[in-house]
Amino acid sequence: MKIISRLIALGTFLVLAGCGTWTAESYLHETISGDSFNACLAREYQERATSEAYVDCNWIDTATIVEKGRAAAAGETVLPWDPATRGVLPADLPELQDARAKLLAALDNGGRTGPNACKCAKAQRYYDGWVEQASDNKLGENGSWLGGEGGPVQPERVKAEKAAFYEALTQCQGVVAAGPWTIYFGFNKYNLTQEAQAVVAEIAKTSISSFAVVGHTDTVGSNAYNDALGLRRANSVAGALKANGKSTCSVSSDGKTNLAVKTGDGVREPLNRRAVVTPCK
């Protein structure tokens, strides 16, 4: 089955190459410099794609990883894979989603800009590797692509990627212990997502006892509506902190002022829909 899988992947590569659309190999040999998160992530993806291409001979995964690496090198925000969209077995999904929430919490709260940004990039690389290996059930013995319920092709690789991810995540999380922390919300929402709850859990691990919470919105809607929505977001976070044994010295709303990303009025900007948590002075 592994031989068949690789033949399928190689066949796809040859078709792409014949059409003149295969450009992955040039990326594998590019020199990527810099120590920013995106530069480090681009190098991590480059290394992984090289292994996929020349060790595993999996050109399908190589193309996907190269796409993410090029986007990172171009300065785009590249998120770790969502396992719910990658064909992992239902039994594996909860653990992968929990790990992704922890990784996003670290990345969104200093991991992309702190002194250990490259370690955070490594954590993302190994998380995507873990998802990739867990999704290989579709190519495994009696795998789902044949109507079966087979597991991953190489379960030991799954364990190795998972272990490497958690080791890198521990190093990445070390840069976000002092705050401030940012918690993001959906459009017109003030409920805490799984990722938001992971940030609260990280805050609860600190020795800080009391926090100030400020809610923010994007620029869609009136000032009065957004002032109220921002306060609801701040109160949601404050309630979660209290449930985790912490207190607040202030809970307030800036509405659609003090934007994280400057936009015109009426713009749905996800990075502006947030609550910021800082230690009380």
Side-chain angles (χ1 to χ4, degrees):
M1 183 58 67
K2 293 179 186 178
I3 294 174
I4 294 174
S5 302
R6 292 180 180 181
L7 286 175
I8 293 172
L10 181 58
T12 302
F13 162 66
L14 291 174
V15 169
L16 289 170
C19 294
T21 59
W22 182 260
T23 59
E25 193 161 8
S26 63
Y27 170 78
L28 303 183
H29 300 289
E30 287 180 14
T31 298
I32 303 171
S33 59
D35 57 3
S36 68
F37 173 81
N38 269 31
C40 293
L41 186 61
R43 286 196 297 271
E44 291 288 347
Y45 281 140
Q46 184 185 58
E47 181 179 323
R48 180 163 197 90
T50 300
S51 176
E52 288 291 336
Y54 300 125
V55 178
D56 291 348
C57 300
N58 188 333
W59 290 97
I60 296 176
D61 284 341
T62 300
T64 306
I65 297 166
V66 165
E67 182 179 2
K68 297 188 78 172
R70 282 194 168 131
E76 299 177 26
T77 298
V78 180
L79 297 178
W81 272 327
D82 179 353
T85 67
R86 301 297 300 178
V88 304
L89 295 175
D92 297 332
L93 193 56
E95 183 180 18
L96 284 164
Q97 288 177 322
D98 178 69
R100 185 174 189 265
K102 289 183 172 65
L103 174 58
L104 286 174
L107 294 176
D108 290 341
N109 289 275
R112 294 186 178 93
T113 57
N116 288 344
C118 285
K119 294 177 181 177
C120 293
K122 188 177 292 292
Q124 179 163 331
R125 171 256 182 96
Y126 280 118
Y127 177 80
D128 279 358
W130 179 12
V131 172
E132 176 200 321
Q133 292 299 323
S135 70
D136 276 349
N137 67 80
K138 63 185 178 291
L139 299 176
E141 295 291 335
N142 298 317
S144 59
W145 76 314
L146 295 176
E149 296 294 335
V153 173
Q154 296 171 296
E156 293 305 315
R157 286 283 296 275
V158 174
K159 293 179 182 178
E161 298 283 358
K162 175 181 172 181
F165 161 70
Y166 278 115
E167 180 179 352
L169 179 64
T170 298
Q171 297 173 338
C172 170
Q173 288 173 324
V175 307
V176 298
W181 298 265
T182 303
I183 294 172
Y184 294 98
F185 295 85
F187 177 71
N188 204 30
K189 303 290 186 182
Y190 56 91
N191 62 295
L192 298 183
T193 63
Q194 186 177 19
E195 289 80 8
Q197 292 169 0
V199 177
V200 172
E202 289 301 312
I203 297 172
K205 293 177 183 178
T206 69
S207 60
I208 304 166
S209 60
S210 188
F211 300 87
V213 185
V214 181
H216 302 262
T217 71
D218 59 26
T219 60
V220 177
S222 67
N223 288 333
Y225 183 85
N226 282 296
D227 286 344
L229 177 58
L231 187 58
R232 284 193 285 270
R233 288 173 174 168
N235 281 326
S236 291
V237 174
L241 289 171
K242 183 178 179 180
N244 280 271
K246 302 296 183 179
S247 64
T248 54
C249 58
S250 66
V251 179
S252 62
S253 170
D254 278 353
K256 59 179 183 179
T257 64
N258 294 327
L259 301 174
V261 178
K262 301 299 182 182
T263 71
D265 199 37
V267 176
R268 295 189 180 190
E269 171 51 58
L271 294 179
N272 288 331
R273 302 193 293 261
R274 69 203 195 281
V276 178
V277 181
T278 56
C280 294
K281 296 181 180 180

